[in-house]
Amino acid sequence: MIKFKKGELTNLKSGNPVKMLITDTRVGRNTKALVAGVSERASRHPDAMASVFHAVNTISEELSSIVELAATDEIAMTSKEEKLAELMEMNQGLLQCMGVSHASIETVLRSTLKYNLVSKLTGAGGGGCVLTLIPTLLSKLVLEKVTTELESHGFRCFKVEVGGQGLQIHQG
């Protein structure tokens, strides 16, 4: 797992992989136009948008710290996932304030919320992909139901694990 900030990549040390459902809305987007829209909004409301940008940065920093925490049992992992979910939910709300959401993203959010799952857009927004946190203790049946519902909207879903130990070579 990496953190990208102002053109700089930082590796995050994550002992526990985080399970995610990536939903591709299949909606193309124009990143340049989305960035221009955020910039215009910031010009019209400089103080408010400065607060939004500050909050997004604070959430990103806190999320990075939580990802690096070791969770040694199910209770610790559940606590970690609850904190990640809360930060993802706050971040998505701020991204909506910036004007980078889209009807397809909102459909994913509504669908996953029915199953008490938290999602947020990824990338520039305006379509594209949405990340949904999959709690460790979530049943396979619930994951199948939410995936089926999302696919019924024409979206593609991919279950992934990010972070964790990764590839290791032991010599002997």
Side-chain angles (χ1 to χ4, degrees), residues 92-149:
Q92 177 60 31
L94 293 167
L95 293 166
Q96 289 164 323
C97 288
M98 292 173 158
V100 296
S101 195
H102 182 273
S104 62
I105 293 169
E106 298 301 316
T107 298
V108 174
L109 297 175
R110 282 190 306 276
S111 295
T112 59
L113 189 58
K114 287 182 202 172
Y115 300 92
N116 294 319
L117 299 174
V118 174
S119 303
K120 68 170 290 303
L121 67 85
T122 186
C129 291
V130 178
L131 302 175
T132 302
L133 182 65
I134 303 173
T136 301
L137 300 179
L138 185 73
S139 75
K140 288 183 182 179
L141 179 61
V142 171
L143 183 57
E144 287 173 15
K145 284 184 175 185
V146 72
T147 301
T148 299
E149 181 170 336

Side-chain angles (χ1 to χ4, degrees), residues 61-82:
E61 293 297 328
E62 188 175 340
L63 193 131
S64 297
S65 297
I66 291 169
V67 162
E68 293 187 309
L69 291 175
T72 55
D73 57 36
E74 285 182 351
I75 293 171
M77 193 63 196
T78 299
S79 175
K80 180 177 177 175
E81 289 168 347
E82 287 170 352

